[in-house]
Amino acid sequence: LTFVSPGGGTQGQTLSVNVAGVYTHFLQGITQVNFGSGITVNSVSVSAPTALTASITVADAAATGSRTVTVTTGAEVVTAAGAFTVTAGTPVLVSVIPNTGQAGQSLTATVTGKFTHFAAGQTQAAFGDGIAVGGGAAGAAGPVTVTGPTTATAQLSIAAAALSGARAVTVSTGSEVVFLA
C-alpha cells in the first residue's frame, strides 16, 4: 500500500478513506479492508486494481493511536503500518434531564456528555440566570456529583423570581468546557 487518505479519524466518526497500492490486484466484491479493532468497514468500492475507497465507522470507544491498514484480495495481503490514526472524539454535552423546571422549584438534573472527562471534585456546572447549582449563588457555576466520565447530577434551585426561558448549560472540568444551548 502506498497511500491512505485521510490518514486518520476521530472516535465516533464515519468517513470515506481512499487506499492505493502498487502491483496490487484489488477486485470488487472480493477485496476486504481492515483498520483494526474498533473500526467497522461499512463498504469497499474498488475503482481499479490499485485503488479503492472504504467507508468506515470509528467506534466511540475505539482506542486512540495509529493503526495498520490491511487489504486482502484472495491470497494477496498488503499492509501499511501506522497508516491510519484514531484521535479522541470532541467532548460535547448531549442531554440534560429533566430539561425544564419551574420558578421556585428544587430538582436534580442529570447531565450526559460524550467524550467528556467529568471528575469528582473537579467538575462544575452552570445552568444560567436564576438557577443555583449545589447551594451556590444563582447563575454561578457550582459543584456536581460525578457518576462517570460522561455522567453527572446537579442539585438545582430555581429562584422564585427567575424569568422563564431557555438557558445554556455549561459543564467544566479543568480546561475541558462543554455546553448545551
Side-chain angles (χ1 to χ4, degrees), residues 53-150:
T53 300
S55 169
I56 66 169
T57 300
V58 181
D60 289 352
T64 58
S66 65
R67 307 295 184 89
T68 296
V69 177
T70 303
V71 179
T72 304
T73 306
E76 178 182 274
V77 179
V78 291
T79 62
F84 191 83
T85 301
V86 175
T87 56
T90 302
V92 296
L93 283 185
V94 293
S95 69
V96 176
I97 298 174
N99 64 357
T100 62
Q102 297 178 1
Q105 183 180 19
S106 292
L107 59 111
T108 300
T110 300
V111 178
T112 304
K114 184 174 182 178
F115 307 122
T116 53
H117 303 88
F118 300 160
Q122 298 178 29
T123 299
Q124 297 215 351
F127 282 70
D129 291 340
I131 302 174
V133 180
V144 297
T145 301
V146 174
T147 55
T150 60

Side-chain angles (χ1 to χ4, degrees), residues 4-19 33 35 38-45 52-60 62 67 69 83-87:
V4 175
S5 179
T10 60
Q11 293 168 320
Q13 184 180 21
T14 297
L15 66 154
S16 293
V17 180
N18 297 309
V19 178
V33 184
F35 287 80
I39 300 179
T40 301
V41 177
N42 305 313
S43 64
V44 176
S45 177
L52 63 83
T53 300
S55 169
I56 66 169
T57 300
V58 181
D60 289 352
R67 307 295 184 89
V69 177
F84 191 83
T85 301
V86 175
T87 56

Side-chain angles (χ1 to χ4, degrees), residues 17-34:
V17 180
N18 297 309
V19 178
V22 64
Y23 307 120
T24 55
H25 303 89
F26 302 159
L27 292 171
Q28 184 65 37
I30 304 293
T31 298
Q32 298 179 346
V33 184
N34 187 314

